[in-house]
Amino acid sequence: MSFFIRLGALAYKELLHMVRDQQVVYMALGMPLVMLLLFGYAVSFDVEELPIAVLDHDRTPAARALLRRLEASDAFVVRSHASDGAAIETLMRRGTVRAGVVIPAGFARQLARGEQATYQLLLDGADGTTARIALAYAFGATAARAANDTAHAAAPLLEPRVRALFNPALRSALFIVPGLAAVIIGILAVLMSTITVAREWERGSMEQLFATPVDRLSVVLGKLLPYVAIGLLQLLLVLTAGAWLFGVPLHGSLLTLLAAAVLFLAGALGQGLLISMVTRNQQVATQLGAISGVLPNLLLSGFIFPPDNMPLPMRVLSHAVPARYMVAVMRGVLLQGKHWAQLWPQFVGLALVAAALLTVSTLRFRRSLD
């Protein structure tokens, strides 16, 4: 019982430190919403109204129908009609258009004879991501046209019927926001916990802590518990804002999400606490926390790049990043409605990383002024 009393006293003391520091309160409650707005609206894989130039050698209703179909996808908008192929390249170099469509002469005759008709799509390969997405939109529009044309002819041998599960409209916001929530909370958890012990050393209050009959585990847990509560509050704020602003659904259990969040926060906070114990300096600890928190969370978590597509060394290293597991849990619970029994590998990963970091932090904390 005395262990829990001492633990509660230390947690209350750390909570008072947070409440009295306005910067910490702003970072804890304001930064998640600011980062959600910035990343949520700035990071998008959707292509809308990509300006294109058209070189139409056919000038037939069939050619115009193809252009209308491309524009109807909302991915393309015709901004210019070129006189030759060189003019399209010139417009792309100027940045006036991002793609070009060349329709050859005889396009309509080939369609009328039931032959395969082709047209050329010129894309700006300097922006490979946009080019690949635009190619997919153009392929979809062409495939729909081909399906209509063959509806009155011989039935195709293979006809894919595509239906996207869990995100029918393929909105990039539904893919980004759940992962973004994990990344934001992970980064802030590392940053906030990096100053906990370093602040005690700089203010000279560590000697007072050593004079109390608390053990190392009580100190570690007592300093982390308030930040776990703040992290859960941040998660609820981000989920509410994500549902309100971006329409992110919650198909699974909120309790499953909160249980995973506790393990995730324990790992992220343990990482920051370890940095704080090693450096004993707030400025150095904050810098190390920013480097070790931002880059791995953004690049190795699967938030943008799937871990399975990474080179083997990076894939192995990503297993030490708690956000890798939390991103999968967020998408699984919010979009796919998974429950904990389907997410047990992620729960095991979160528990192992958290146990390792908290154990090292506890062993690294010594009741000594040296």
Side-chain angles (χ1 to χ4, degrees):
M1 181 62 72
S2 59
F3 170 80
F4 293 102
I5 294 176
R6 290 195 294 270
L7 182 62
L10 284 170
Y12 179 68
K13 168 181 171 295
E14 193 64 30
L15 181 63
L16 290 180
H17 277 301
M18 282 196 298
V19 174
R20 291 170 181 170
D21 192 336
Q22 296 298 319
Q23 293 181 344
V24 173
V25 174
Y26 164 72
M27 179 183 292
L29 301 180
M31 283 301 293
L33 297 178
V34 172
M35 293 175 70
L36 179 69
L37 292 174
L38 289 176
F39 280 89
Y41 284 111
V43 180
S44 174
F45 298 115
D46 297 330
V47 172
E48 296 180 356
E49 297 188 351
L50 193 73
I52 63 174
V54 174
L55 175 57
D56 187 358
H57 292 293
D58 199 52
R59 299 182 182 279
T60 61
R64 290 191 289 273
L66 173 64
L67 296 176
R68 286 197 298 271
R69 189 171 293 279
L70 289 174
E71 287 189 302
S73 67
D74 293 332
F76 304 98
V77 58
V78 177
R79 288 286 172 79
S80 178
H81 290 270
S83 57
D84 52 38
I88 293 181
E89 185 174 339
T90 300
L91 291 172
M92 292 177 71
R93 289 182 184 278
R94 290 176 182 172
T96 307
V97 298
R98 303 285 298 280
V101 174
V102 180
I103 303 175
F107 178 78
R109 287 199 302 273
Q110 288 177 311
L111 288 177
R113 290 197 296 264
E115 300 174 355
Q116 184 181 40
T118 60
Y119 72 96
Q120 187 178 33
L121 180 64
L122 302 171
L123 295 170
D124 184 359
D127 184 355
T129 301
T130 301
R132 281 191 292 272
I133 297 173
L135 179 61
Y137 279 115
F139 177 79
T142 305
R145 169 62 188 270
N148 289 337
D149 290 343
T150 57
H152 306 291
L157 296 179
L158 290 176
E159 181 182 357
R161 301 290 179 90
V162 180
R163 183 165 66 96
L165 300 177
F166 314 121
N167 185 6
L170 297 178
R171 292 175 53 209
S172 62
L174 297 189
F175 168 75
I176 290 174
V177 172
L180 179 62
V183 170
I184 291 173
I185 294 170
I187 292 174
L188 292 179
V190 173
L191 289 177
M192 288 192 300
S193 57
T194 52
I195 61 175
T196 53
V197 175
R199 181 176 52 202
E200 300 274 6
W201 283 107
E202 290 191 354
R203 292 180 179 178
S205 56
M206 188 58 77
E207 293 88 342
Q208 300 174 4
L209 190 61
F210 288 162
T212 61
V214 294
D215 55 86
R216 293 186 295 184
L217 183 60
S218 299
V219 173
V220 171
L221 295 180
K223 286 191 169 296
L224 294 189
L225 283 179
Y227 292 100
V228 171
I230 292 294
L232 293 178
L233 180 59
Q234 291 173 337
L235 177 63
L236 294 176
L237 282 175
V238 171
L239 289 178
T240 303
W244 180 43
L245 296 174
F246 302 101
V248 178
L250 174 59
H251 292 310
S253 167
L254 182 60
L255 290 179
T256 301
L257 203 59
L258 293 178
V262 171
L263 295 175
F264 171 60
L265 287 167
L269 293 171
Q271 176 185 342
L273 190 62
L274 179 60
I275 294 173
S276 186
M277 288 181 178
V278 171
T279 59
R280 298 186 179 186
N281 180 287
Q282 291 191 68
Q283 184 175 3
V284 176
T286 303
Q287 292 175 352
L288 285 178
I291 295 172
S292 65
V294 174
L295 295 180
N297 275 288
L298 284 176
L299 301 179
L300 300 179
S301 65
F303 163 54
I304 298 176
F305 312 107
D308 292 340
N309 295 347
M310 298 176 186
L312 181 59
M314 293 294 103
R315 205 184 314 156
V316 174
L317 183 61
S318 69
H319 287 282
V321 179
R324 173 198 167 108
Y325 309 103
M326 193 60 193
V327 168
V329 171
M330 293 288 290
R331 288 174 178 158
V333 173
L334 293 177
L335 302 181
Q336 298 174 304
K338 290 183 177 179
H339 48 80
W340 68 271
Q342 297 169 305
L343 295 167
W344 69 266
Q346 285 74 28
F347 274 82
V348 171
L350 286 170
L352 290 177
V353 173
L357 289 172
L358 291 179
T359 300
V360 174
S361 299
T362 305
L363 294 176
R364 188 65 180 77
F365 181 70
R366 294 187 176 89
R367 296 172 63 88
S368 171
L369 297 179
D370 298 331

